[in-house]
Amino acid sequence: MLDIKLIRENPAGVRDRLKTRRCSVDIAALLELDERRRAAITEGERLKSQRNEVSKKIGVLKKAGEDTTEIQHQSRELGEQIAARDADVRSIEETQHQWLLAIPNLPHESVPEGEDATQNVVVREWGLRHDFSFTPQDHVALSETLGLFDFERAARLAGAGFPLATGAGARLKRALIQFMLDMHTTQHGYTEVAPPHIVSTAAMIGTGQLPKMAADMYELPADGLWLIPTAEVPVTNIYRDEIIRQPLPIKLVAQTPCFRREAGAAGKGTRGLIRVHQFNKVELVQFVPPATSYAALDKLVGDAENVLQALGLPYRVLLLSSGDMSFAAAKCYDIELWAPGHGGWLEVSSCSNFESFQARRANIRWKNAEGKNEFVHTLNGSGVALPRLMVAILENGQQADGSVVLPEALRPYMGGLERLTPQA
RNA sequence: GGAGAGAUGGCGGAGUGGCCGAACGCGCCGGUCUUGAAAACCGGAUCCCGCGCAAGCGGGACGGGGGUUCGAAUCCCUCUCUCUCCGCCA
């Protein structure tokens, strides 16, 4: 949520920056509404001040045993006027609040202006995309011969897009989770948390999924709850409505399933594990002092990259253009893995600085150096998402004989196994 | 799911209709004393919003929301959460 004061102080600047993400807001109308809101508040407070005086007088007169019928009548009338003013204020505030909730974050000045993903900027590339002496297979074919996933039978359980890992595939998934959590907690300074996978509407509003993304999420209407689309939601909301007293930054890592309806996304290019309704993801979340949030973002991207480097997988880092960023982000880097069988890059991580956008929605503050309450900056990034990571491991590690050589760093988590071999 | 108890400032804990934003204790900040520290003593400190260049003025907040009343931390309703007991249960 943007600060209405910022909009008031620099309406043209806000409008222009929103325009770079193809969002146009009627700033003038919003400010006019704000004008009305403040006028109603001022008038209501003037009346309340009057009533307070009159009430005080009633107390004094009663104590003196005097008649207060007339003055009580006066106070009651004031009360009625106040109630009317308060109703105005509430209704205007509600309108304004809904309006502000629907406005995306302002892009940071370092974000390249662009219409969409085609204007994203490749910041760096790491690792070698090696040539195969044979035609590389895609992960669906590989996992079939290796017996890692059963896509056919999985459809019986919840339909397409809900993968069923089997045997070494299930173990690989577990090993990767363990491997990544260990790395972030022991090398990057994160504290592991294990949050609920279901959250309230308030939590979804706090991180910005609602009201905009309702159609993309699984809802439990009987309970007013939602399945999380990412651990970002429960983990960021841990500190909702709180003034954080402990020293910042707070760095948390969580591994959870993520549920996404991906409505309308089925079809080509979504085979196997590429785009699924349920997947696991290791998520990094930080609460930092505003002054350090951009340095923290760079470091956060590095934390995710370290996972891929340790696994020896070729990747590239993109700086997203203003038009391609998600609703709440001020700046965002994507990390994409090279998938030779798929023949393209696969996004496995998205690392964003939300500045105070989420903190303002979720009301997360801290005591800054001057002892003043201030909204924190929140960041998060995948570290990393599992299905596409598995795709890359399989497709990059495949051999001519159909086996897959596992990254060395992963072997201790696979009971020393060096390679996945076809089932007899 | 049923019955009961409770929710007050950073923490503990008073306060049951009218200068209560809230006694008191702890903790915190500043000062005096001290070579330094502790102790003791003195002083200070909540947050949100509106108006104002500012000094400041005003409004609101005692878990959330609503109500009664001229006036609510205090009375009523409701929701949430915590605790105790019973039931159910992986």
Side-chain angles (χ1 to χ4, degrees), chain A residues 326-394:
Chain A
S326 69
F327 184 75
K331 184 173 185 176
C332 179
Y333 293 97
D334 274 3
I335 304 177
E336 297 182 335
L337 279 173
W338 175 246
H342 173 73
W345 298 94
L346 295 175
E347 179 191 332
V348 286
S349 178
S350 199
C351 302
S352 308
N353 183 358
F354 302 96
E355 297 189 5
S356 59
F357 188 84
Q358 291 182 328
R360 186 168 281 107
R361 286 175 162 247
N363 193 28
I364 304 171
R365 292 171 295 170
W366 73 307
K367 289 243 182 250
N368 66 18
E370 293 90 58
K372 296 295 288 178
N373 294 342
E374 183 181 27
F375 289 114
V376 301
H377 280 192
T378 58
L379 299 92
N380 69 52
S382 344
V384 300
L386 278 163
R388 294 174 186 171
L389 176 61
M390 281 194 269
V391 169
I393 288 173
L394 296 178

Side-chain angles (χ1 to χ4, degrees), chain A residues 171-190:
Chain A
R171 177 160 200 183
L172 180 59
K173 168 182 160 183
R174 179 160 54 90
L176 283 166
I177 290 169
Q178 202 84 317
F179 165 72
M180 290 189 273
L181 285 175
D182 281 354
M183 175 177 264
H184 294 306
T185 53
T186 64
Q187 291 175 39
H188 301 152
Y190 291 83

Side-chain angles (χ1 to χ4, degrees), chain A residues 256-279:
Chain A
T256 69
C258 303
F259 302 93
R260 300 185 180 182
R261 295 187 65 223
E262 304 287 0
K268 291 175 190 163
T270 64
R271 257 162 72 77
L273 296 174
I274 305 288
R275 184 180 293 277
V276 287
H277 293 306
Q278 178 182 335
F279 61 95

Side-chain angles (χ1 to χ4, degrees), chain A residues 137-145 149 151 271-273 394-395:
Chain A
Q137 297 183 274
D138 80 354
H139 77 282
V140 176
L142 286 166
S143 57
E144 188 170 333
T145 47
F149 285 89
F151 293 109
R271 257 162 72 77
L273 296 174
L394 296 178
E395 295 188 2

